[in-house]
Amino acid sequence: RKEVEQDPGPFNVPEGATVAFNCTYSNSASQSFFWYRQDCRKEPKLLMSVYSSGNEDGRFTAQLNRASQYISLLIRDSKLSDSATYLCVVNGLGRAGNMLTFGGGTRLMVKP
Amino acid sequence: GAVVSQHPSRVICKSGTSVKIECRSLDFQATTMFWYRQFPKQSLMLMATSNEGSKATYEQGVEKDKFLINHASLTLSTLTVTSAHPEDSSFYICSARAEERFFANSYNEQFFGPGTRLTVL
């Protein structure tokens, strides 16, 4: 079983739609959680951190359920520019201390 | 702030040659740098963690003698792919984690370089 699992998609949605991505992680000792965005052939960029209380940044809302080891990202009013791959990322302890473990990514395509 | 550069951005080489990739933190000092590899349509996989002045810690399955990492200063880490083979063709991305005094609210955040696309013929 992968440490961080995501539905690879693609999710094809029209502009203005609301879309939700889910992610599960296997290590219950994981300490912090993030959503990153990666455009084609580019490096990942931090979209937002995810907190237990849930947090919102503009059109983006992230939720964390530690009991279920489940993370979600909701995007409202999708824009064409939201088309990208969204990576669920978990920070935990690795061989050399804190390390990020990346999910396989969920691809979003927003169409006009 | 928090800019990480990588050089080269793209490299094509013949099988058997060695390729060096540089990762620099431009406006902060990085206590730790990470090297990732991403194959097409797959996610980033951590290869190794390097701390300035000490040996890198490699993830399981990553050959330390093939992927040489040197972290000689707080702003530079290098990855050398020795005797490259076509199966080493991949997107190599580094990231850097800042010392707390530089970004108090981002101590654990990793800042990613733009990546190096390696093609081995």
Side-chain angles (χ1 to χ4, degrees), chain B:
Chain B
V3 178
V4 176
S5 71
Q6 267 184 256
H7 178 79
S9 58
R10 179 173 294 191
V11 59
I12 300 172
C13 69
K14 291 182 179 179
S15 190
T17 59
S18 293
V19 176
K20 180 188 278 190
I21 303 170
E22 291 186 350
C23 176
R24 293 182 187 272
S25 56
L26 298 186
D27 49 3
F28 66 99
Q29 290 183 332
T31 49
T32 307
M33 287 185 170
F34 303 85
W35 286 97
Y36 296 85
R37 180 168 53 183
Q38 186 175 31
F39 291 108
K41 299 193 177 181
Q42 295 186 28
S43 193
L44 278 74
M45 295 297 294
L46 180 65
M47 298 175 67
T49 302
S50 80
N51 292 294
E52 184 263 340
S54 62
K55 289 184 179 180
T57 301
Y58 290 80
E59 294 302 304
Q60 200 166 15
V62 178
E63 299 174 57
K64 62 180 182 180
D65 294 329
K66 180 170 178 63
F67 298 99
L68 302 178
I69 291 172
N70 186 299
H71 193 156
S73 75
L74 283 172
T75 59
L76 173 65
S77 176
T78 60
L79 168 69
T80 301
V81 183
T82 61
S83 187
H85 289 280
E87 57 265 30
D88 298 324
S89 299
S90 186
F91 191 44
Y92 291 85
I93 307 176
C94 73
S95 70
R97 188 165 66 204
E99 288 193 345
E100 187 174 359
R101 62 193 171 97
F102 286 96
F103 300 104
N105 295 325
S106 304
Y107 176 57
N108 275 321
E109 183 177 348
Q110 292 183 25
F111 303 99
F112 286 84
T116 296
R117 193 160 299 279
L118 171 64
T119 303
V120 185
L121 302 176

Side-chain angles (χ1 to χ4, degrees), chain A residues 19 40 42-43 48 52 62 64 82 91 93 100:
Chain A
V19 61
C40 189
K42 300 280 188 182
E43 77 277 21
M48 60 197 302
S52 298
L64 166 65
D82 293 334
N91 189 15
L93 282 178
L100 297 181

